[in-house]
Amino acid sequence: GHWAKTLQHLQQMVYRKITLSTSMFNLAMGACERGGEWEQALRSLSVMQRSSVELNVITSGAAVSACKQSKWEESSQVFFRIWMSELQLDTASLNAVLSAYERGTKWDRALHLFRILGLSTGEPSTITFNTLVSACEKHGEWEKSLQLLSLVERIRAKLNVITCNAAISACEKVGVWEKAIQLFAAMAETKLEFNIITLNAAISACAKGHRWEKALRLFDTMTLNSVELDTISFNAAMSACEQAGKWETMLHLLSLMLQNKVASSTITLNAAISACETGSEWETALHLFCMLSQNTAECDRVSYSAAISACGKGGKWEKAVHLFRALAESNIEMDTISCNSTISACEEAGDCENVLKLFSVMEQSKLQPDEITFGAAINACAKSSKWQRSMQLLSIMAQSNVEHNTIICNAAISSCENAGEWDKVLQLYEVMAQDNVQLDTTSFSAAINACERRGTWVKKKK
């Protein structure tokens, strides 16, 4: 490239001891900058300093700008080397080093440098603020982003959509939806044109803030302003509806998405399947699950777990078991959630045999059962009069350091009560009292009944 030829000529001049001027090095530095050759720019700067050639603002600006594609350490080194030489640095030089910090996720260094230099490099440009706000956005530093926007207004610098988008995204990352909406409203008031990035970030912020109605209003704003909807737009709006349990609205959005031929992702369809689970729409959930295999998206653990749970809540435990077997045969690693969904589906159907088989699968797969697992398994045993297995599961639960709760203990008590094991009922009652597990009407009734059957009136009196 041109940078290579320029440097070759410069090296020949150095070799022949021809007097070099600042303008010659400026040409070489400019060539390195255009070619993105930051290492060559550093070498040229070193040669220039060794040759006692005077640096000027053009040299420094080109050197720092060439290094903006390098690691932030190199760019920072060049910037401060030039700064220490008491050369006047311009805004372009400042923007170059800030850009290097931003890419290196060094938002704190970027802000620190900006505070040190202040306006000494000239009036900060729109690029300066875009870079700083973007650096803060990557780390969710929304307060710093808003402070920078306030500074833009004070010094009357030009604000653009990139700066505002970065600030709204910073608010979105931490779920500060009110600030995101305020920024969006401010853009509309100042007639600053927004784009799909603006709206997507604002919708996502509303979703994280559990403001589904505001998210949908923003979504409608996109349609009214002829902003082309994309996968992120639909995902954000659907996520807001999912969290609010608005499964019908969510499925309407999915239908709209397919009509507009917007590419659906695994996230999109998983959210829709979860919505069907909430609405007990197991048939729709299975239909969407099948769509994943025909789509460019792929099924993951969330897809299986949501579909299994939807089938369980719809009373279709056989289909839930079928999906679980498909998960086990796939390359997707099972987790506690997918196992719990299947166990709960079988427990609701009173299929104790499959519940215990699935519990064994979890143990073999070294998956840690939790309260949901033990609760469903013990309840299934209670329904099937398997009191010994209930007691065994309660013992495993204690060994696994999973806390007992009232529902689980009551299920085990009922299992023993149904089998006429009055000693075990009273034993479990004592365990609940000792472990400070909340006793309720079921617990007391079972204990009193056990005392009556055994004739132990003293315990009953207690």
Side-chain angles (χ1 to χ4, degrees):
H2 294 295
W3 67 268
K5 290 180 181 178
T6 305
L7 289 178
Q8 188 178 8
H9 289 312
L10 197 66
Q11 286 170 356
Q12 288 176 355
M13 292 175 75
V14 171
Y15 180 74
R16 294 175 183 178
K17 297 183 180 179
I18 297 172
T19 303
L20 299 169
S21 66
T22 304
S23 60
M24 291 176 184
F25 276 100
N26 285 353
L27 286 171
M29 209 72 72
C32 292
E33 177 194 353
R34 289 189 294 276
E37 294 293 328
W38 61 272
E39 290 176 316
Q40 296 296 339
L42 286 179
R43 290 194 188 99
S44 297
L45 189 65
S46 297
V47 170
M48 192 175 184
Q49 290 177 320
R50 284 200 305 271
S51 304
S52 301
V53 178
E54 186 179 350
L55 281 75
N56 63 18
V57 69
I58 297 172
T59 324
S60 60
V64 176
S65 188
C67 291
K68 70 182 179 183
Q69 298 302 324
S70 69
K71 293 180 180 179
W72 65 268
E73 292 92 342
E74 281 81 5
S75 188
S76 180
Q77 182 186 358
V78 171
F79 184 85
F80 283 106
R81 190 194 301 181
I82 293 167
W83 187 37
M84 293 299 290
S85 66
E86 298 184 357
L87 266 176
Q88 179 65 40
L89 289 159
D90 59 6
T91 305
S93 304
L94 174 64
N95 289 346
V97 73
L98 290 178
S99 179
Y101 281 142
E102 185 254 335
R103 280 194 322 281
T105 65
K106 298 294 177 182
W107 66 271
D108 49 345
R109 287 177 180 267
L111 285 180
H112 183 63
L113 178 62
F114 182 71
R115 289 194 195 100
I116 290 173
L117 294 180
L119 302 176
S120 64
T121 59
E123 187 176 319
S125 67
T126 303
I127 295 172
T128 312
F129 286 106
N130 285 353
T131 306
L132 288 168
V133 175
S134 180
C136 293
E137 178 261 327
K138 286 180 178 177
H139 282 266
E141 293 290 331
W142 64 275
E143 290 172 313
K144 297 284 191 301
S145 296
L146 295 184
Q147 287 170 12
L148 287 164
L149 285 187
S150 177
L151 180 59
V152 171
E153 292 174 357
R154 286 205 305 274
I155 67 173
R156 296 182 179 180
K158 190 175 179 181
L159 199 66
N160 71 2
V161 68
I162 297 171
T163 321
C164 291
N165 284 354
I168 290 172
S169 292
C171 294
E172 178 266 326
K173 283 188 175 178
V174 291
V176 189
W177 68 272
E178 300 100 325
K179 295 294 181 184
I181 293 297
Q182 285 172 16
L183 285 170
F184 179 76
M187 287 179 73
E189 285 174 15
T190 56
K191 295 181 179 179
L192 188 61
E193 189 175 347
F194 52 80
N195 57 23
I196 192 167
I197 297 171
T198 322
L199 286 158
N200 284 349
I203 292 170
S204 294
C206 290
K208 288 182 179 178
H210 305 288
R211 294 294 184 276
W212 69 275
E213 289 173 315
K214 287 186 180 292
L216 289 184
R217 277 201 287 273
L218 286 167
F219 186 85
D220 291 338
T221 300
M222 297 176 85
T223 309
L224 293 170
N225 287 275
S226 301
V227 178
E228 190 175 346
L229 302 162
D230 64 6
T231 306
I232 297 171
S233 318
F234 279 101
N235 283 353
M238 288 169 73
S239 176
C241 293
E242 181 196 0
Q243 290 173 25
K246 302 295 176 181
W247 63 272
E248 289 171 314
T249 307
M250 191 173 179
L251 293 180
H252 170 71
L253 286 171
L254 179 62
S255 175
L256 189 65
M257 187 179 191
L258 298 173
Q259 286 172 26
N260 284 276
K261 297 181 179 179
V262 177
S264 57
S265 66
T266 302
I267 295 171
T268 316
L269 293 171
N270 282 352
I273 294 169
S274 295
C276 293
E277 174 196 345
T278 305
S280 301
E281 291 287 320
W282 68 270
E283 289 179 298
T284 309
L286 285 183
H287 174 68
L288 293 170
F289 184 83
C290 291
M291 277 181 63
L292 275 169
S293 58
Q294 298 164 8
N295 200 284
T296 51
E298 293 181 356
C299 296
D300 59 12
R301 280 185 298 189
V302 177
S303 320
Y304 277 100
S305 295
I308 289 167
S309 187
C311 290
K313 288 181 180 178
K316 301 297 174 182
W317 67 271
E318 301 98 330
K319 293 187 182 296
V321 172
H322 175 75
L323 283 168
F324 183 81
R325 285 173 181 159
L327 170 61
E329 291 169 4
S330 70
N331 293 324
I332 301 168
E333 191 175 343
M334 290 184 295
D335 63 357
T336 304
I337 296 170
S338 53
C339 290
N340 282 351
S341 298
T342 317
I343 287 172
S344 295
C346 294
E347 183 264 319
E348 285 286 336
D351 183 5
C352 184
E353 186 180 345
N354 265 318
V355 168
L356 295 178
K357 280 181 181 177
L358 289 164
F359 190 89
S360 296
V361 168
M362 286 187 74
E363 289 182 316
Q364 289 163 15
S365 303
K366 295 182 179 179
L367 290 172
Q368 180 64 47
D370 58 15
E371 283 185 23
I372 297 170
T373 323
F374 283 107
I378 291 170
N379 207 33
C381 290
K383 289 177 183 178
S384 301
S385 303
K386 296 182 183 291
W387 70 270
Q388 296 99 329
R389 188 65 171 130
S390 291
M391 295 297 289
Q392 186 185 12
L393 286 167
L394 211 58
S395 176
I396 295 170
M397 191 177 182
Q399 291 167 17
S400 303
N401 293 320
V402 178
E403 285 188 13
H404 297 137
N405 61 34
T406 305
I407 296 170
I408 293 171
C409 289
N410 281 349
I413 285 174
S414 296
S415 178
C416 295
E417 185 180 19
N418 292 336
E421 293 293 329
W422 312 117
D423 287 340
K424 296 295 181 186
V425 170
L426 294 174
Q427 182 185 331
L428 287 169
Y429 176 85
E430 295 288 351
V431 168
M432 287 180 74
Q434 288 169 12
D435 292 349
N436 295 318
V437 177
Q438 183 69 46
L439 296 160
D440 63 5
T441 306
T442 304
S443 321
F444 283 116
S445 297
I448 291 169
N449 188 33
C451 289
E452 286 178 345
R453 294 301 182 95
R454 291 181 72 250
T456 48
W457 63 273
V458 176
K459 280 189 177 286
K460 180 181 174 183
K461 188 177 179 181
K462 284 182 182 179

